[in-house]
Amino acid sequence: MHLSEGFDFLGFHIQWRRKRGTDKWYVYTFIADRPLRSVKAKIRTLTHRTSQQDLAVVLVNLNQVTHGWANYFCRRRLKCEPIPAGEK
């Protein structure tokens, strides 16, 4: 395995890449494919079209999943900053 191919570690894909427009190489960190597939599957199950659940229950569950996922991945990335409540 070479770092230019990248590897997955703790939900992140770490890869050595050349920065666009330069000849410099940097280590980039992305969210791996498996966690993305996992959170999408959870959202699909929570928001099934034929679900008979109360909308409030669905929104609370969806909020828990998205907040948990965002807290894990955003807290570990330098570029990811939380948006203050009330701002768009």
Side-chain angles (χ1 to χ4, degrees):
M1 179 189 74
H2 193 267
L3 197 54
S4 64
E5 297 170 9
F7 64 94
D8 291 344
F9 182 70
L10 295 176
F12 292 93
H13 184 74
I14 301 167
Q15 188 173 19
W16 185 256
R17 286 189 174 183
R18 186 177 59 83
K19 187 175 179 179
R20 276 192 232 163
T22 68
D23 290 333
K24 295 183 179 182
W25 288 76
Y26 295 93
V27 175
Y28 285 88
T29 305
F30 306 96
I31 298 172
D33 292 333
R34 189 171 144 211
L36 284 174
R37 285 193 312 261
S38 174
V39 76
K40 285 180 183 181
K42 286 179 187 175
I43 291 171
R44 272 189 219 103
T45 59
L46 290 173
T47 59
H48 198 291
R49 291 177 193 259
T50 60
S51 175
Q52 299 298 318
Q53 289 184 351
D54 184 35
L55 181 60
V57 173
V58 172
L59 292 176
V60 167
N61 292 336
L62 187 61
N63 194 21
Q64 289 175 348
V65 168
T66 54
H67 272 100
W69 192 84
N71 281 335
Y72 179 78
F73 286 103
C74 286
R75 302 261 188 248
R76 285 156 182 81
R77 297 180 67 205
L78 297 176
K79 294 181 184 177
C80 191
E81 297 178 12
I83 299 172
E87 291 185 23
K88 292 183 182 179

